[in-house]
Amino acid sequence: MPPTPPSRRPRGPAVLAALVAGAAAASFTAAPAQAAAPGAARVPMHQCWVNGVAAPPGDLVSGTSGDDHIFCDSDLENVTVWGGDGNDMIEVRGLVIDSAVMGGDGDDVIRAKHLVPQNASSMVRGNRGNDVIKVATVVGDGAEHGAVVHGDDGDDKITTGSVSGAPGKFNRGGGIVTGNDGADTIKVGVVDFSGRVLGGSEADTIEAAGLGPESGGLIQAGPGDDTISGPGGTILTVGPHWGMVDAGVGKDTCTVKSVSTRTSISACEVLPKAAPSGANPQTPTGAKPAAPVGAQPAAPTGAQPAAPVGGRPASPVGAPPAG
């Protein structure tokens, strides 16, 4: 049997092809390890004070059983801020990244910047009590990256900027502002890109700067005699894209107008029509406008003008002057 010839090393273009193939194989092999790195590097970060005392490092910043002032002057990342019992004031000056800010029991005031979900959801909740909640913007993306503001139990006052982001599976996540239980007042910016604003179980007031101007959005009031309008009771423009208003069960008042056939407005029992901008109230037919304040009433037709005080009445036209 003839001896096996020795293998030859590739030369020229063959060497370059082999190097490229090896580099590609190495990059594919390392890809799973690189993809897992962000999930493994989720470290809680905050700089918060509770009643003037610095909170220790960790993933929980907790209040006491009394009235607390919790102040965070930087971003929250992978942290839960919990007010606990009492009427608490919670202020977050930075972004809320994959974190939750919750008031706990009591009439709480919560102020936060933008909700920025990256690897998980970002949330602000009032919990039980008549809470005041203010959030800059609410922008989510699917079920795993939700940006959510909950009023929860009580008559809450919620104010946010724009609300956007489509929900995911089981209608979870996305960008959503909801009053939950109680008679809530919800004032938001533009609701678009599948953002949602939901009322509670009682008579709610919902005001939005716009609904579905670019993509689409939903306002759903729920049970109770609700009021839906633009800021300060002005007309809310629905559309021109897929804006939807569902006032729900109850005698609801909707100061809204549709500017497209793609919109939907339903369950509004009262649809008041606002006067055009700059229009003057009309005078009833046959009525004369009121005289200015302090003006003398006009003399009847054919009547002589009144004489000056202490003087003689004026002579009729063509009469000789008095001797």
Side-chain angles (χ1 to χ4, degrees), residues 188-191 206-213 218-219 227-239 243-246 254-259 265 271-272 274:
V188 299
V190 175
V191 184
I206 300 176
E207 299 179 2
L211 180 60
L218 168 67
I219 292 178
T227 301
I228 301 173
S229 71
T234 58
I235 296 177
L236 169 62
T237 299
V238 183
M244 178 181 294
V245 172
D246 180 3
C254 305
T255 307
V256 299
K257 70 174 181 179
S258 172
V259 294
I265 299 173
L271 287 165

Side-chain angles (χ1 to χ4, degrees), residues 155-166:
D155 301 336
D156 305 308
K157 296 181 180 179
I158 303 174
T159 304
T160 77
S162 59
V163 182
S164 63

Side-chain angles (χ1 to χ4, degrees), residues 39-204:
R42 296 181 60 189
V43 177
M45 297 179 61
H46 69 79
Q47 185 167 327
C48 301
W49 288 263
V50 179
N51 301 324
V53 178
D59 58 2
L60 177 63
V61 177
S62 182
T64 68
S65 59
D67 299 345
D68 301 307
H69 181 200
I70 300 177
F71 175 73
C72 303
D73 73 345
S74 62
D75 297 346
L76 296 178
E77 190 165 357
N78 308 309
V79 174
T80 297
V81 176
W82 169 250
D85 295 337
N87 303 325
D88 306 310
M89 165 74 78
I90 302 176
E91 298 180 84
V92 180
R93 294 289 179 87
L95 306 177
V96 180
I97 305 171
D98 302 341
S99 299
V101 180
M102 298 185 287
D105 291 347
D107 300 337
D108 306 308
V109 176
I110 302 175
R111 297 174 181 169
K113 291 286 187 178
H114 312 276
L115 301 188
V116 185
Q118 293 184 351
N119 299 304
S121 293
S122 296
M123 178 185 299
V124 172
R125 301 196 74 133
N127 297 124
R128 186 174 299 173
N130 301 326
D131 305 308
V132 176
I133 300 174
K134 294 185 177 182
V135 178
T137 58
V138 182
V139 182
D141 182 17
E144 297 180 356
H145 303 90
V148 186
V149 176
H150 288 280
D152 291 321
D153 295 345
D155 301 336
D156 305 308
K157 296 181 180 179
I158 303 174
T159 304
T160 77
S162 59
V163 182
S164 63
K169 191 176 181 180
F170 304 117
N171 214 27
R172 294 292 188 266
I176 179 172
V177 175
T178 173
N180 294 122
D181 295 332
D184 305 307
T185 299
I186 303 174
K187 299 181 180 182
V188 299
V190 175
V191 184
D192 207 357
F193 299 100
S194 300
R196 296 170 294 159
V197 175
L198 311 180
S201 59
E202 299 180 27
D204 303 307

